[in-house]
Every structure is written in C-alpha cells, then in structure tokens.
Amino acid sequence: MRRLPFRRLVSLATLAVIGVATAGTTAACGDDSEAGGSGPVTLRLGYFPNITHAPAVVGVEKGIFTQKLGTDVKLETKTFNAGPAAIEAVFSGALDATYIGPNPTVNAFSKSKGEAVRVISGAASGGVALVVKPEITSVEQLRGKKIATPQLGNTQDVALRYWLKEKGLKTTKEGGGDVTVVPQENAQTVETFGSGAIDGAWVPEPFVSRLVNAGGKVLVDERDLWPDRKFVITNLIVSTKFLKAHPDAVKKLVEGQVAANEFVNTKPDESQQAISDHIGKITGKPLDVKLIKQAWPTLEFTNDPIASSLKTGLDHAVAVELTQPVSLDGLYDLTYLNEVLKTQGKTEVAQP
C-alpha cells in the first residue's frame, strides 16, 4: 500500500538567503494603541523570500496586503530563511503572523502546549522532489548511497526517511543504515551534487530545478505520494494573542492572502517577475526568472492549508523517531478564511 510520506518537523523549503527585516525595527508589541498611542494597529508579518512563499512575496511586492489592510492597519514585514527563527520571533512577541512550513507550525503549537499560534490559511502545496544521479533508476540502487536533506528532522528530512523506511531501507540520525542521509544547506547541496560528494537530495524548489539543471533526474516527485497530489508546504499562522486582540486586522490579512493567491494563479508571468524582483531587493541578486518558470508547474497555490497532510506528516516524523506524538486539536482556525471565501462566492475550506 502506497503510504504518503512525510513532512513535518522543521521548515521547508528555503532559498539560501539571509533573514533580513524588510520594514525596519518594530515596537515591542503589534499595536500602537497598546503602547499608549492612538495610531493604527501594527501587523508584523513574516515570510521567506522563496518560491514556495510566492503568495507572501507577491502580496508584499505588489502592495496587495497594504491595500487590503487599509489605513487602520500598518503593515511591517520581516523575512527569514528558516522556520525556527520565525517561530522564535513569534514567541518573543516580535512577530504577529508569518508564512511558514508545516514542521515549525507543529513545533510552535507543541512547545506552547497549543497556546501560541493558529493556522488561519493555506498558501502553497507541492514543489518537493528526490533528485538523483541519472544512473540511479530504482529505490534499491540507493542502498549504500548518500542523499542530502536540508536539515536533520526538517520536513524534507522526515519525508526521505519515511519513504525509505516504507521501501525497507534503514537510516539513522547519525548517518548510518542502508542509506546515508546527509543534512546540509540547500545551496551547498547544489555544489556537493555537482562534485559527486552526494548521490542525490530530497529538496524543495528552486533547488529541485537547480539539481536537474546540474544533470540530475527526479526519482520521486513527492506529489505522487499524497492523495490528489496535494500536501502543505507553506501555510499562514498568526499568534493567538494578536488574533484575540485584533480580529479585524487578522480578517483583513486573510483577505490579502486570498487576493495574493488569486493574483499568483491568474497572473503567473507577472508574479514570477515580481518574485525575481523582490528577492533581488532583499538579497542583492534577483532569482533567475527562467528558474522560477521551470519550478512553477510543481507548485499549487491554494488557500486550503491541507490539514490532513500536516497531521500525516507528524505521524511520519513519529514513525522515524524524530519527534513525539502530539495532539493538534485547536491548531486550525479557518473562520475568517471561510468568511472571506463565502463573501467572494468561493468554495469554503472544511475546518479540521
């Protein structure tokens, strides 16, 4: 029986960029009025300058969030290159909401005993694959090989280990077993694959496309391992404190997410250029539009957080002994998402 693998523990798919604040330093709390002022609510939004965070990137670059938030909510943005840093910002009170991968979402919910965050919308699905040397044509040929993942226990690491386990191949956290799993930065993986130091990698876009362009081939498209080829790679979470204090601002943020997804899905060429431009502003080097176009078909931008895949990914992480079981009851609050979708005549998302 073909069990869908993976995805849980630490964040996913990131572009090799350094986390940088795109809107400067913010106050200690997300509401000017809480600091004694009478100005608009300040919403501090985090995201990764990354293809898998396309709705966030495009929403910021095209001013979609600012327009939807209106004059009553001041938007400040911060970018990150790893999920744990974004979650720490939420925990410390420096961030009110963030686009993030499934594993950091689970970790934040678990560490705070279900108190700190809520998932309020989906953002993206797909965009992950196992790329190997062209001479490798079957899973059995991976025996004795070295396969990279972005980080021990991260979403792709869990996916690889669970898939290998289902195929009868053992791995260990120390790099032993039938297949040696080598955690390393995605940018480094492109280099080590080219030098022959590794035989493949389970990575997100745009690194899938980069490895293919470096002579690799896709052995496993992770979409094929999930029902309807859908699994969460990015969702939108908000701090519970901010949600309770400023529900109207959160609803406007969700309106921005829905509008950004609409833009990304209906204007792909303009969105791809916006992503390239925005990443260039942050890192000093625009991402090649050709690479974005190559990766684009492997991703689906959706408002549905695909909760079932997050929960299954947690089960996979438990199965490969990289985390402990945890209840996810109360993690999702899709009230505002469904209000927005209903108003626009769109299909609502079932509350998990």
Side-chain angles (χ1 to χ4, degrees), residues 266-335:
T266 58
K267 300 179 179 180
D269 291 340
E270 191 173 346
S271 296
Q272 291 156 11
Q273 187 61 57
I275 292 169
S276 176
D277 293 343
H278 193 74
I279 290 174
K281 291 176 183 177
I282 293 171
T283 68
K285 183 179 180 180
L287 186 62
D288 188 347
V289 174
K290 290 182 179 179
L291 192 66
I292 299 174
K293 289 184 179 296
Q294 182 179 345
W296 203 258
T298 70
L299 286 153
E300 178 182 355
F301 303 106
T302 173
N303 298 307
D304 186 346
I306 319 175
S308 60
S309 72
L310 183 143
K311 293 178 179 178
T312 299
L314 173 60
D315 292 340
H316 294 165
V318 172
V320 296
E321 301 179 356
L322 287 175
T323 193
Q324 298 297 317
V326 59
S327 171
L328 298 178
D329 291 345
L331 172 58
Y332 292 87
D333 186 346
L334 306 182
T335 304

Coordinates of all heavy atoms in Angstrom, one line a residue, residues 266-335:
T266 N -3.7 33.7 -11.4 CA -4.3 34.3 -12.7 C -3.2 35.1 -13.5 O -3.5 35.3 -14.6 CB -5.5 35.2 -12.4 OG1 -5.1 36.3 -11.5 CG2 -6.6 34.4 -11.7
K267 N -2.2 35.5 -12.8 CA -1.1 36.3 -13.5 C 0.3 35.7 -13.2 O 1.1 36.3 -12.6 CB -1.2 37.7 -13.1 CG -2.5 38.4 -13.3 CD -2.5 39.9 -12.9 CE -3.9 40.5 -13.2 NZ -3.9 42.0 -12.7
P268 N 0.5 34.5 -13.7 CA 1.8 33.8 -13.4 C 3.0 34.5 -13.9 O 4.0 34.6 -13.2 CB 1.6 32.4 -14.0 CG 0.6 32.6 -15.1 CD -0.4 33.6 -14.5
D269 N 3.0 35.1 -15.1 CA 4.2 35.7 -15.6 C 4.5 37.0 -14.8 O 5.7 37.2 -14.4 CB 3.9 36.2 -17.1 CG 3.9 35.0 -18.0 OD1 4.3 33.9 -17.6 OD2 3.3 35.1 -19.1
E270 N 3.5 37.8 -14.5 CA 3.7 39.0 -13.7 C 4.2 38.6 -12.2 O 5.1 39.2 -11.6 CB 2.5 39.8 -13.6 CG 2.7 41.2 -13.0 CD 1.5 42.1 -13.1 OE1 0.5 41.7 -13.9 OE2 1.4 43.1 -12.5
S271 N 3.6 37.5 -11.7 CA 4.0 37.0 -10.4 C 5.4 36.6 -10.4 O 6.2 36.8 -9.4 CB 3.1 35.9 -9.9 OG 1.7 36.4 -9.8
Q272 N 5.8 35.8 -11.4 CA 7.2 35.3 -11.4 C 8.2 36.4 -11.5 O 9.3 36.4 -10.8 CB 7.4 34.4 -12.6 CG 6.6 33.1 -12.5 CD 6.2 32.4 -13.8 OE1 6.7 32.8 -14.9 NE2 5.4 31.4 -13.8
Q273 N 7.9 37.5 -12.3 CA 8.8 38.6 -12.3 C 8.8 39.4 -11.0 O 9.9 39.8 -10.6 CB 8.4 39.6 -13.5 CG 9.3 40.7 -13.7 CD 10.7 40.2 -14.2 OE1 10.8 39.5 -15.2 NE2 11.7 40.6 -13.4
A274 N 7.7 39.4 -10.4 CA 7.6 40.1 -9.0 C 8.5 39.4 -8.0 O 9.2 40.0 -7.2 CB 6.2 40.2 -8.6
I275 N 8.5 38.0 -8.1 CA 9.3 37.2 -7.1 C 10.8 37.5 -7.4 O 11.5 37.7 -6.5 CB 8.9 35.7 -7.3 CG1 7.5 35.5 -6.8 CG2 9.9 34.9 -6.5 CD1 7.0 34.1 -7.1
S276 N 11.1 37.5 -8.7 CA 12.5 37.7 -9.0 C 13.0 39.1 -8.5 O 14.0 39.2 -7.9 CB 12.7 37.6 -10.5 OG 14.0 38.0 -10.9
D277 N 12.2 40.1 -8.8 CA 12.5 41.5 -8.4 C 12.6 41.6 -6.9 O 13.5 42.2 -6.3 CB 11.4 42.4 -8.9 CG 11.4 42.5 -10.4 OD1 12.4 42.1 -11.1 OD2 10.4 43.0 -11.0
H278 N 11.6 41.0 -6.2 CA 11.6 41.1 -4.7 C 12.8 40.5 -4.0 O 13.4 41.0 -3.1 CB 10.3 40.5 -4.2 CG 9.9 40.9 -2.8 ND1 9.5 42.1 -2.4 CD2 10.0 40.2 -1.6 CE1 9.3 42.2 -1.1 NE2 9.6 41.0 -0.6
I279 N 13.1 39.3 -4.5 CA 14.3 38.6 -4.0 C 15.5 39.4 -4.2 O 16.4 39.5 -3.4 CB 14.4 37.2 -4.5 CG1 13.2 36.3 -4.0 CG2 15.7 36.5 -4.2 CD1 13.1 34.9 -4.5
G280 N 15.6 40.0 -5.4 CA 16.7 40.9 -5.7 C 16.9 42.0 -4.8 O 18.0 42.4 -4.4
K281 N 15.7 42.6 -4.4 CA 15.8 43.8 -3.4 C 16.3 43.3 -2.1 O 17.0 44.1 -1.4 CB 14.4 44.3 -3.3 CG 13.8 45.0 -4.5 CD 12.4 45.5 -4.3 CE 11.8 46.2 -5.6 NZ 10.4 46.6 -5.4
I282 N 16.0 42.1 -1.7 CA 16.4 41.6 -0.4 C 17.8 41.1 -0.3 O 18.6 41.4 0.6 CB 15.4 40.5 0.1 CG1 14.0 41.1 0.3 CG2 15.9 39.8 1.4 CD1 12.9 40.1 0.6
T283 N 18.2 40.3 -1.4 CA 19.5 39.6 -1.4 C 20.5 40.3 -2.2 O 21.7 40.0 -2.1 CB 19.3 38.2 -1.9 OG1 19.0 38.2 -3.3 CG2 18.3 37.5 -1.1
G284 N 20.1 41.3 -3.1 CA 21.0 41.9 -4.0 C 21.2 41.2 -5.3 O 21.9 41.6 -6.2
K285 N 20.5 40.0 -5.4 CA 20.7 39.2 -6.6 C 19.3 38.6 -7.0 O 18.8 37.7 -6.3 CB 21.7 38.1 -6.5 CG 21.9 37.3 -7.7 CD 22.9 36.2 -7.5 CE 23.2 35.4 -8.8 NZ 24.2 34.3 -8.6
P286 N 18.6 39.1 -8.0 CA 17.3 38.6 -8.4 C 17.4 37.1 -8.8 O 18.5 36.6 -9.3 CB 17.0 39.4 -9.7 CG 17.8 40.7 -9.6 CD 19.1 40.2 -8.9
L287 N 16.4 36.4 -8.4 CA 16.4 34.9 -8.8 C 16.0 34.9 -10.3 O 15.1 35.5 -10.8 CB 15.3 34.2 -8.0 CG 15.2 32.7 -8.1 CD1 16.5 32.0 -7.7 CD2 14.1 32.1 -7.3
D288 N 16.7 34.0 -11.0 CA 16.5 33.9 -12.5 C 15.1 33.5 -12.8 O 14.5 32.5 -12.3 CB 17.5 32.8 -13.0 CG 17.5 32.7 -14.5 OD1 16.6 33.3 -15.1 OD2 18.4 32.0 -15.0
V289 N 14.4 34.3 -13.6 CA 13.0 34.1 -13.9 C 12.9 32.8 -14.6 O 11.8 32.1 -14.4 CB 12.5 35.3 -14.8 CG1 11.1 35.0 -15.3 CG2 12.5 36.6 -14.0
K290 N 13.8 32.4 -15.4 CA 13.8 31.1 -16.1 C 13.7 29.9 -15.1 O 12.9 28.9 -15.3 CB 15.0 30.9 -17.0 CG 15.0 31.8 -18.2 CD 16.2 31.5 -19.1 CE 16.2 32.4 -20.3 NZ 17.4 32.2 -21.2
L291 N 14.4 30.1 -14.0 CA 14.4 29.0 -13.0 C 13.0 29.0 -12.3 O 12.5 27.9 -12.0 CB 15.5 29.3 -11.9 CG 15.8 28.2 -10.9 CD1 16.4 26.9 -11.6 CD2 16.8 28.6 -9.9
I292 N 12.5 30.2 -12.0 CA 11.2 30.3 -11.4 C 10.1 29.6 -12.3 O 9.3 28.9 -11.8 CB 10.8 31.8 -11.1 CG1 11.8 32.4 -10.2 CG2 9.4 31.9 -10.6 CD1 11.6 33.9 -9.9
K293 N 10.2 29.9 -13.6 CA 9.2 29.3 -14.5 C 9.4 27.8 -14.6 O 8.4 27.1 -14.7 CB 9.4 29.9 -15.9 CG 9.0 31.4 -16.1 CD 9.2 31.9 -17.5 CE 8.7 33.3 -17.6 NZ 7.2 33.5 -17.3
Q294 N 10.6 27.3 -14.5 CA 10.8 25.9 -14.5 C 10.2 25.2 -13.3 O 9.6 24.1 -13.4 CB 12.3 25.6 -14.5 CG 12.7 24.1 -14.6 CD 14.2 23.9 -14.7 OE1 15.0 24.9 -15.0 NE2 14.7 22.7 -14.4
A295 N 10.3 25.9 -12.1 CA 9.8 25.3 -10.9 C 8.3 25.4 -10.7 O 7.6 24.6 -10.1 CB 10.5 25.9 -9.7
W296 N 7.7 26.5 -11.4 CA 6.3 26.9 -11.2 C 5.3 25.7 -11.3 O 4.4 25.6 -10.5 CB 6.0 28.0 -12.1 CG 4.9 28.9 -11.7 CD1 3.6 28.9 -12.2 CD2 4.9 30.0 -10.8 NE1 2.8 29.8 -11.6 CE2 3.6 30.5 -10.7 CE3 5.9 30.5 -9.9 CZ2 3.3 31.6 -9.9 CZ3 5.6 31.5 -9.1 CH2 4.3 32.1 -9.1
P297 N 5.4 24.9 -12.3 CA 4.3 23.9 -12.5 C 4.3 22.8 -11.4 O 3.3 22.1 -11.3 CB 4.7 23.2 -13.8 CG 5.6 24.2 -14.5 CD 6.3 24.9 -13.5
T298 N 5.3 22.7 -10.6 CA 5.3 21.7 -9.5 C 4.6 22.2 -8.2 O 4.4 21.5 -7.3 CB 6.8 21.3 -9.1 OG1 7.4 22.4 -8.4 CG2 7.6 21.0 -10.3
L299 N 4.3 23.5 -8.3 CA 3.6 24.1 -7.1 C 2.2 24.4 -7.4 O 1.8 24.8 -8.5 CB 4.3 25.4 -6.7 CG 5.7 25.2 -6.0 CD1 6.6 26.4 -6.3 CD2 5.5 25.0 -4.5
E300 N 1.3 24.4 -6.3 CA 0.0 24.8 -6.4 C -0.3 25.8 -5.3 O 0.1 25.5 -4.1 CB -1.0 23.6 -6.2 CG -2.5 24.0 -6.2 CD -3.4 22.9 -6.0 OE1 -3.0 21.7 -6.0 OE2 -4.6 23.2 -5.9
F301 N -0.8 27.0 -5.6 CA -1.0 28.0 -4.6 C -2.5 28.0 -4.2 O -3.4 28.2 -5.0 CB -0.6 29.3 -5.2 CG 0.9 29.3 -5.6 CD1 1.2 29.3 -6.9 CD2 1.9 29.3 -4.6 CE1 2.6 29.2 -7.3 CE2 3.2 29.2 -5.0 CZ 3.6 29.2 -6.4
T302 N -2.7 27.6 -3.0 CA -4.1 27.3 -2.5 C -4.3 27.9 -1.1 O -3.4 28.1 -0.3 CB -4.3 25.8 -2.4 OG1 -5.5 25.5 -1.8 CG2 -3.2 25.1 -1.6
N303 N -5.6 28.3 -0.9 CA -5.9 28.9 0.4 C -6.2 27.7 1.4 O -6.3 28.0 2.6 CB -7.2 29.7 0.3 CG -7.0 30.9 -0.6 OD1 -6.0 31.7 -0.4 ND2 -7.8 31.1 -1.6
D304 N -6.3 26.5 0.9 CA -6.6 25.3 1.8 C -5.3 24.9 2.4 O -4.3 24.6 1.7 CB -7.1 24.2 0.9 CG -7.5 23.0 1.7 OD1 -7.2 22.9 2.9 OD2 -8.2 22.1 1.1
P305 N -5.2 24.9 3.8 CA -4.0 24.5 4.4 C -3.7 23.0 4.4 O -2.6 22.6 4.8 CB -4.2 25.0 5.9 CG -5.7 24.9 6.1 CD -6.2 25.3 4.7
I306 N -4.6 22.2 3.8 CA -4.4 20.8 3.6 C -4.0 20.2 5.0 O -3.0 19.5 5.1 CB -3.4 20.5 2.5 CG1 -3.6 21.4 1.3 CG2 -3.6 19.0 2.1 CD1 -2.6 21.2 0.2
A307 N -4.8 20.4 6.0 CA -4.6 19.9 7.3 C -4.2 18.4 7.4 O -3.4 18.0 8.3 CB -5.7 20.3 8.2
S308 N -4.9 17.6 6.6 CA -4.7 16.2 6.7 C -3.2 15.8 6.4 O -2.7 14.9 7.0 CB -5.6 15.4 5.7 OG -5.3 15.9 4.4
S309 N -2.6 16.6 5.5 CA -1.2 16.3 5.2 C -0.3 16.7 6.4 O 0.7 16.0 6.6 CB -0.8 16.9 3.9 OG -0.6 18.3 4.1
L310 N -0.6 17.8 7.0 CA 0.2 18.2 8.2 C 0.2 17.1 9.3 O 1.2 16.7 9.9 CB -0.2 19.5 8.7 CG 0.6 20.1 9.9 CD1 0.7 21.6 9.7 CD2 -0.1 19.8 11.2
K311 N -1.0 16.6 9.5 CA -1.2 15.6 10.6 C -0.5 14.3 10.2 O 0.1 13.6 11.0 CB -2.7 15.4 10.8 CG -3.3 16.6 11.5 CD -4.8 16.4 11.7 CE -5.5 17.6 12.3 NZ -6.9 17.5 12.5
T312 N -0.6 13.9 8.9 CA 0.1 12.7 8.4 C 1.6 12.9 8.5 O 2.3 11.9 8.9 CB -0.4 12.4 7.0 OG1 -1.8 12.2 7.0 CG2 0.3 11.1 6.5
G313 N 2.1 14.0 8.2 CA 3.5 14.3 8.3 C 4.0 14.2 9.7 O 5.1 13.7 9.9
L314 N 3.2 14.6 10.7 CA 3.6 14.4 12.1 C 3.7 12.9 12.4 O 4.6 12.5 13.0 CB 2.6 15.1 13.0 CG 2.7 14.8 14.5 CD1 4.1 15.3 14.9 CD2 1.6 15.5 15.2
D315 N 2.7 12.2 11.9 CA 2.8 10.7 12.1 C 4.0 10.1 11.5 O 4.6 9.2 12.1 CB 1.5 10.0 11.5 CG 0.2 10.4 12.1 OD1 0.3 10.8 13.3 OD2 -0.8 10.2 11.5
H316 N 4.4 10.6 10.3 CA 5.7 10.1 9.7 C 6.9 10.4 10.5 O 7.8 9.6 10.7 CB 5.8 10.7 8.3 CG 4.8 10.3 7.4 ND1 4.5 10.9 6.2 CD2 3.8 9.2 7.4 CE1 3.5 10.3 5.5 NE2 3.1 9.3 6.3
A317 N 6.9 11.6 11.1 CA 8.1 12.0 11.9 C 8.1 11.1 13.2 O 9.2 10.8 13.6 CB 7.9 13.5 12.3
V318 N 7.0 10.8 13.7 CA 7.0 9.9 14.9 C 7.5 8.5 14.5 O 8.2 7.9 15.2 CB 5.5 9.8 15.5 CG1 5.5 8.7 16.5 CG2 5.1 11.2 16.0
A319 N 7.0 8.1 13.3 CA 7.4 6.7 12.8 C 8.9 6.6 12.6 O 9.5 5.5 12.8 CB 6.7 6.4 11.5
V320 N 9.6 7.7 12.2 CA 11.0 7.6 12.0 C 11.8 8.1 13.3 O 13.0 8.4 13.2 CB 11.5 8.3 10.8 CG1 10.9 7.7 9.5 CG2 11.1 9.8 10.8
E321 N 11.1 8.2 14.4 CA 11.6 8.5 15.7 C 12.4 9.8 15.7 O 13.4 10.0 16.4 CB 12.6 7.4 16.1 CG 11.9 6.0 16.2 CD 12.8 4.9 16.6 OE1 14.0 5.2 16.8 OE2 12.3 3.8 16.8
L322 N 11.8 10.8 15.1 CA 12.3 12.2 15.1 C 11.5 13.2 15.9 O 11.9 14.3 16.1 CB 12.5 12.7 13.7 CG 13.7 12.1 12.9 CD1 13.7 12.6 11.5 CD2 15.0 12.3 13.6
T323 N 10.4 12.7 16.4 CA 9.6 13.5 17.3 C 8.6 12.6 18.1 O 8.5 11.4 17.9 CB 8.8 14.6 16.5 OG1 8.2 15.6 17.4 CG2 7.6 13.9 15.8
Q324 N 7.9 13.2 19.0 CA 7.0 12.5 19.9 C 5.5 12.9 19.4 O 5.3 14.0 18.9 CB 7.1 12.9 21.3 CG 8.5 12.5 21.9 CD 8.7 11.0 21.9 OE1 7.8 10.2 22.2 NE2 9.9 10.6 21.5
P325 N 4.6 12.0 19.7 CA 3.2 12.3 19.3 C 2.7 13.5 20.0 O 3.1 13.8 21.2 CB 2.4 11.0 19.7 CG 3.5 10.0 19.8 CD 4.7 10.6 20.2
V326 N 1.9 14.3 19.4 CA 1.3 15.5 20.0 C -0.1 15.7 19.4 O -0.4 15.5 18.2 CB 2.2 16.7 19.8 CG1 2.3 17.0 18.3 CG2 1.6 17.9 20.4
S327 N -1.0 16.1 20.2 CA -2.4 16.4 19.8 C -2.4 17.8 19.0 O -1.8 18.7 19.5 CB -3.4 16.5 20.9 OG -4.6 17.0 20.5
L328 N -3.0 17.8 17.9 CA -3.1 19.1 17.1 C -4.5 19.7 17.2 O -4.8 20.6 16.4 CB -2.8 18.8 15.7 CG -1.3 18.3 15.4 CD1 -1.1 18.0 13.9 CD2 -0.3 19.3 15.9
D329 N -5.3 19.3 18.2 CA -6.6 19.8 18.4 C -6.5 21.3 18.7 O -5.8 21.7 19.6 CB -7.3 19.1 19.5 CG -7.7 17.7 19.2 OD1 -7.6 17.3 18.0 OD2 -8.0 16.9 20.1
G330 N -7.3 22.1 17.9 CA -7.3 23.5 18.1 C -6.2 24.3 17.3 O -6.2 25.5 17.4
L331 N -5.4 23.6 16.5 CA -4.4 24.3 15.8 C -5.0 25.2 14.7 O -4.5 26.3 14.4 CB -3.4 23.3 15.1 CG -2.4 23.8 14.1 CD1 -1.5 24.9 14.8 CD2 -1.6 22.7 13.6
Y332 N -6.1 24.8 14.1 CA -6.7 25.5 12.9 C -7.8 26.4 13.3 O -8.7 25.9 14.1 CB -7.1 24.5 11.9 CG -6.0 23.8 11.2 CD1 -5.5 22.6 11.7 CD2 -5.4 24.3 10.0 CE1 -4.4 21.9 11.2 CE2 -4.3 23.6 9.4 CZ -3.8 22.4 10.0 OH -2.8 21.8 9.4
D333 N -7.8 27.6 12.8 CA -9.0 28.5 13.0 C -9.2 29.1 11.6 O -8.6 30.1 11.3 CB -8.7 29.6 14.0 CG -10.0 30.4 14.3 OD1 -10.9 30.3 13.5 OD2 -10.0 31.2 15.3
L334 N -10.1 28.5 10.8 CA -10.3 29.0 9.5 C -11.6 29.8 9.4 O -12.2 30.0 8.3 CB -10.4 27.7 8.5 CG -9.2 26.8 8.6 CD1 -9.4 25.6 7.6 CD2 -7.9 27.5 8.3
T335 N -12.0 30.4 10.5 CA -13.3 31.2 10.5 C -13.2 32.3 9.5 O -14.1 32.5 8.7 CB -13.5 31.7 11.9 OG1 -13.5 30.6 12.9 CG2 -14.8 32.5 12.0

